Amino acid sequence: MQWLTVFNKELLESWRNFKWIWVPLVFILLAITDPLTTYYLPQILEATGGLPEGATFEMPEPPPSEVFMMSVSQLNLIGVLIIALITMGTISGERKSGVAELILVKPIAYHSYVTAKWAAYALLIWVSTFIALVASWYYVNLLFGEVSAGSLLRTVFFYGLWMTFILTISIFMNTLSKTAGLVLFFTITLVIALNLLSSVFAHVVEWSPALISTHLRNNLISGELSSALWGSAGTAVLFIILLLAGAAYTLKHKEIS
């Protein structure tokens, strides 16, 4: 009951702030931009006068799986920033204003407070990611060729785990600082560092959550789920659990002190 109260409160607040409208719309825009741009690029160049008179522009058509992964890359680039932006004040803002203290004075467990807020944003992110990737999948199938529904669902599942991992990092950072700007900075810095380390030492940290997108691309090409993809997904789930536990412990320690 306590958990549902905080969960519903967070959903209602997101709705009042129009997050349930603009976040899915932005995700859809990010996801369909590359497929549409890639397909209509010759016409765009011709319409804008970018080619000399009499010249033609021919570009080899990329395979459907590569075009679909372009959408994932766009979400991976800008979607991560959006997640950090919409969640940077979810706990830190309430701690700073004193609202969190008032809520936690009631018989609400710290882990319930943290996980309810996390779940509300996870629902928003999963719904937005699903709608965006379905939109991309539709245009890729329409313009470039078939990407199976199974590949779409696998991509939604594994990429959704990565986005949830980003969300959990932000939730954890919310319990470390009362300043939303610092939460945003710490979250983005940690994600960038994780991506860089995973890219440089990919042969060592093959199961890093940051390599989920790379493994997904290989999966779409081969059509098989690799052990590395499952390993990265398992690592992401493990860190999500640890970060949520750490967030509840840190919040309790800071509020009591």
Side-chain angles (χ1 to χ4, degrees):
M1 185 65 181
Q2 302 166 354
W3 190 91
L4 279 176
T5 300
V6 179
F7 177 76
N8 290 330
K9 167 189 169 295
E10 203 64 37
L11 286 181
L12 181 60
E13 186 173 330
S14 293
W15 177 254
R16 287 174 174 171
N17 293 331
F18 303 103
K19 291 177 184 176
W20 277 95
I21 298 175
W22 72 262
V23 174
L25 288 177
V26 172
F27 272 42
I28 291 171
L29 182 61
L30 291 173
I32 67 175
T33 296
D34 272 352
L36 293 177
T37 303
T38 301
Y39 185 80
Y40 290 108
L41 184 59
Q43 293 90 324
I44 293 172
L45 287 175
E46 185 176 348
T48 56
L51 293 175
E53 186 176 351
T56 58
F57 179 81
E58 294 184 4
M59 184 179 69
E61 186 174 292
S65 58
E66 283 295 328
V67 181
F68 187 55
M69 281 306 300
M70 290 180 186
S71 299
V72 175
S73 298
Q74 281 284 3
L75 289 174
N76 202 34
L77 182 65
I78 304 177
V80 168
L81 177 61
I82 292 174
I83 292 173
L85 283 170
I86 64 175
T87 59
M88 65 181 184
T90 183
I91 293 176
S92 63
E94 291 188 352
R95 290 178 62 216
K96 188 174 183 178
S97 64
V99 173
E101 185 178 352
L102 293 175
I103 293 174
L104 293 168
V105 164
K106 302 176 182 179
I108 297 178
Y110 289 91
H111 67 269
S112 296
Y113 177 73
V114 169
T115 56
K117 284 180 167 290
W118 172 85
Y121 277 102
L123 180 61
L124 171 60
I125 290 166
W126 275 85
V127 170
S128 301
T129 300
F130 176 77
I131 295 173
L133 290 178
V134 167
S136 170
W137 175 76
Y138 169 78
Y139 281 110
V140 169
N141 278 275
L142 182 67
L143 302 175
F144 294 94
E146 183 181 359
V147 173
S148 69
S151 295
L152 165 66
L153 294 177
R154 286 192 293 271
T155 303
V156 170
F157 173 74
F158 286 105
Y159 190 68
L161 279 179
W162 166 244
M163 301 291 263
T164 306
F165 176 65
I166 302 300
L167 162 66
T168 314
I169 291 175
S170 179
I171 293 293
F172 177 74
M173 294 302 176
N174 267 268
T175 63
L176 293 180
S177 174
K178 293 183 179 181
T179 305
L182 285 178
V183 172
L184 176 65
F185 173 77
F186 290 147
T187 302
I188 296 300
T189 301
L190 183 57
V191 172
I192 291 174
L194 182 61
N195 275 293
L196 287 175
L197 290 173
S198 299
S199 298
V200 174
F201 302 104
H203 59 292
V204 178
V205 288
E206 189 179 15
W207 287 7
S208 168
L211 294 176
I212 285 179
S213 295
T214 301
H215 298 323
L216 269 176
R217 178 176 283 105
N218 297 334
N219 166 68
L220 284 173
I221 294 173
S222 66
E224 298 179 358
L225 290 175
S226 65
S227 59
L229 179 57
W230 282 112
S232 293
T235 304
V237 171
L238 176 61
F239 275 109
I240 286 170
I241 294 171
L242 292 175
L243 285 168
L244 285 175
Y249 175 82
T250 303
L251 181 63
K252 181 178 181 180
H253 176 74
K254 284 183 174 292
E255 290 301 318
I256 290 177
S257 62

